[in-house]
Amino acid sequence: MLEWLGRLALSLLPLVCVCAHSRAAGPDVWPIYRPPQPRLHSHAQWAMPVMLVGAGFLLVKGVHLSGANFHWRDTYSHRRESWMSVDDVIQWGPIVTAVGMRVAGVRGYSASGTDFAETATVAALSMGIVVNAVKLMRISLRPDRRGWNSFMSGHTALAFMGAELLRMEYGAQYPWVAAAGYGLAISTGAMRVYHRRHWIGDVVAGAGVGLAAAWFGRLLQPHVDDMLCALRARRRRAAESAGHVALSVAPMLEQRAVGMALSLQF
């Protein structure tokens, strides 16, 4: 139990440091920060996650195009028989840090906490759909022979998605926070190989999917926001014309507050 608590504290260290600095400096310490919009329409930028996924697939054990998987397993891996390992904890570090900084009132790229919540929600949904759809294809057996859902690494995809969201939101203003997030993401992938839960190809492909999911969330966020606003306006007009009660729900992520916003029209 004490070991697990120690690992949890390590993964949340960047968040604790940021929150402590925020409290010590006062509520108005964070300047408004709006960096340029990432160039997500550039084909060259999207080539990086595509190449990572492609390289990961070529390294898959079932394809037998490279001996790198077996080299990493035999040289660097070690199976630990425990319910909780460090990679199960630190995979959440980057995304928890990003959400925690928003709740703590640290201003980032997004105009509001709701905008960031929409970006993160779209990213998480797209990442989860892709990873689990590929796992259901049963492409390769895990190195520890505990299942045919080795390709691709969901832990690594989640960690890199959180690290990229953290970098896009706060990287230019707080580069050390972004570096810490990517440090946790890389450590997550390394630990998945070390614990014989994944081949190196699974980890490489998971990193590519995580990056692409974060960019996809940022790219779709304005459209999601417009869709939610239009939906709320349509319900409000329908309620006014019918004279009935209308209830609308939207995610909320603001300074020191996280939850759902309810709007009741009657």
Side-chain angles (χ1 to χ4, degrees):
M1 183 65 180
L2 292 177
E3 182 183 4
W4 182 87
L5 290 176
R7 291 168 178 169
L8 180 61
L10 177 64
S11 67
L12 298 181
L13 181 59
L15 172 61
V16 172
C17 294
V18 169
C19 293
H21 177 67
S22 175
R23 180 177 295 273
D28 298 327
V29 67
W30 308 110
I32 297 177
Y33 168 63
R34 297 302 304 275
Q37 174 73 20
R39 299 179 60 184
L40 299 180
H41 295 284
S42 171
H43 297 294
Q45 184 169 347
W46 286 94
M48 182 169 62
V50 171
M51 288 189 296
L52 286 174
V53 174
F57 181 76
L58 293 178
L59 291 171
V60 169
K61 174 181 178 295
V63 180
H64 294 293
L65 293 181
S66 172
N69 279 311
F70 302 100
H71 172 72
W72 274 71
R73 182 193 64 182
D74 299 335
T75 306
Y76 302 107
S77 64
H78 173 70
R79 175 66 191 170
R80 289 194 58 188
E81 297 294 339
S82 63
W83 287 102
M84 178 62 69
S85 55
V86 64
D87 37 298
D88 293 321
V89 178
I90 64 176
Q91 64 170 328
W92 297 99
I95 188 62
V96 169
T97 301
V99 173
M101 290 176 69
R102 261 296 171 182
V103 174
V106 186
R107 294 191 177 101
Y109 173 84
S110 301
S112 67
T114 300
D115 288 350
F116 176 74
E118 292 168 351
T119 300
T121 300
V122 173
L125 287 176
S126 58
M127 182 272 297
I129 290 173
V130 171
V131 169
N132 287 284
V134 173
K135 283 181 176 293
L136 290 175
M137 298 171 65
R138 298 169 59 86
I139 294 177
S140 66
L141 181 66
R142 288 184 183 270
D144 59 4
R145 300 184 178 275
R146 295 196 173 191
W148 279 89
N149 60 345
S150 184
F151 188 80
M152 54 189 58
S153 173
H155 282 63
T156 307
L158 173 62
F160 272 86
M161 181 202 74
E164 182 61 11
L165 288 174
L166 183 63
R167 185 200 67 81
M168 290 192 299
E169 191 72 12
Y170 296 108
Q173 192 176 17
Y174 308 108
W176 60 272
V177 175
Y182 266 97
L184 292 176
I186 294 172
S187 299
T188 299
M191 288 294 100
R192 296 306 283 170
V193 177
Y194 181 74
H195 291 148
R196 293 196 176 187
R197 294 299 292 159
H198 283 289
W199 306 98
I200 182 63
D202 306 335
V203 169
V204 172
V209 170
L211 292 176
W215 297 349
F216 190 66
R218 173 58 59 83
L219 190 64
L220 285 191
Q221 185 275 323
H223 304 287
V224 172
D225 190 63
D226 292 342
M227 182 183 66
L228 292 176
C229 290
L231 181 61
R232 287 193 292 266
R234 190 181 304 117
R235 288 182 176 179
R236 184 167 56 251
R237 289 194 300 267
E240 291 174 352
S241 61
H244 295 158
V245 176
L247 177 65
S248 60
V249 182
M252 181 188 71
L253 181 59
E254 300 296 345
Q255 182 174 354
R256 297 179 178 84
V258 58
M260 303 296 294
L262 303 177
S263 176
L264 185 62
Q265 300 281 339
F266 59 89

